[in-house]
Amino acid sequence: VVDNDANCTVLCEARVGAAAGCSEVVLLTIGTGIGGGLLIGGEVYRGWIGGGAEMGHMVVDMDGPPCQSDCPNRGCLETLAGLDTILRRWRPEAGGDLEELARALLRAAQAGEESARRAIGDAATLIGMAAANLSLVIDPSLLVLNGPLVENGGDVLEQVRSVVSRII
């Protein structure tokens, strides 16, 4: 079977990872863009034509920039809160290994660098709003976040949790 990475990740998390034993799981993977996986009734949800759970393409700013992928929308979560965008907001000239840049960004934010803190905070707010809305619609037993910004520490997860707790 071939599937996209977020679908495989949500299935693995539900079988042997953070969501082990859960039958309703929402996964947001924050990498270059933002991917999503959705498990309902213990099964990966794909929608009626196989395009379900593309959470990175939720519109969070109708007047925002055009989506950076094949999506025809403007202001998609992925375009406004994906790691590429966060890094460009922090250091427009930055290039190189994504995970190393994410670690450098987190170190800068932890050291109090305002541009790093703002870039992360803006994205965490949008991700938190999306996570809260997904939770309200789907009522999962667990919402899982992964990707370099979450896995490398820092207070990204706490910022997302703070936004979610304000909404639900």
Side-chain angles (χ1 to χ4, degrees):
V1 174
V2 176
D3 212 329
N4 76 28
D5 57 346
N7 285 345
C8 292
T9 303
V10 75
L11 190 58
C12 288
E13 290 288 358
R15 291 200 176 154
V16 296
C22 297
S23 61
E24 275 68 38
V25 180
V26 172
L27 168 87
L28 286 172
T29 180
I30 305 151
T32 306
I34 295 182
L38 181 57
L39 198 73
I40 297 179
E43 300 290 325
V44 173
Y45 177 79
R46 292 181 177 81
W48 73 280
I49 59 170
E54 291 295 333
M55 295 155 194
H57 294 289
M58 287 188 290
V59 174
V60 294
D61 180 358
M62 290 175 44
D63 298 320
C67 186
Q68 55 197 14
S69 69
D70 292 331
C71 171
N73 291 324
R74 300 182 73 81
C76 291
L77 180 63
E78 175 173 292
T79 299
L80 295 172
L83 189 51
D84 279 354
T85 301
I86 297 169
L87 292 170
R88 278 195 311 276
R89 282 188 184 147
W90 173 54
R91 296 262 164 89
E93 75 288 349
D97 179 67
L98 193 64
E99 289 198 29
E100 180 50 43
L101 286 169
R103 284 190 289 274
L105 171 66
L106 288 169
R107 284 192 302 271
Q110 289 166 346
E113 185 181 309
E114 187 54 36
S115 62
R117 294 174 60 80
R118 189 173 37 256
I120 290 172
D122 291 348
T125 297
L126 293 171
I127 293 164
M129 288 170 47
N133 285 317
L134 288 164
S135 294
L136 288 167
V137 170
I138 297 163
D139 190 27
S141 47
L142 191 65
L143 188 131
V144 179
L145 299 178
N146 75 358
L149 281 182
V150 176
E151 295 164 3
N152 287 307
D155 62 351
V156 176
L157 197 54
E158 267 318 302
Q159 290 181 48
V160 170
R161 279 187 183 129
S162 174
V163 172
V164 169
S165 70
R166 287 176 52 201
I167 296 171
I168 58 174

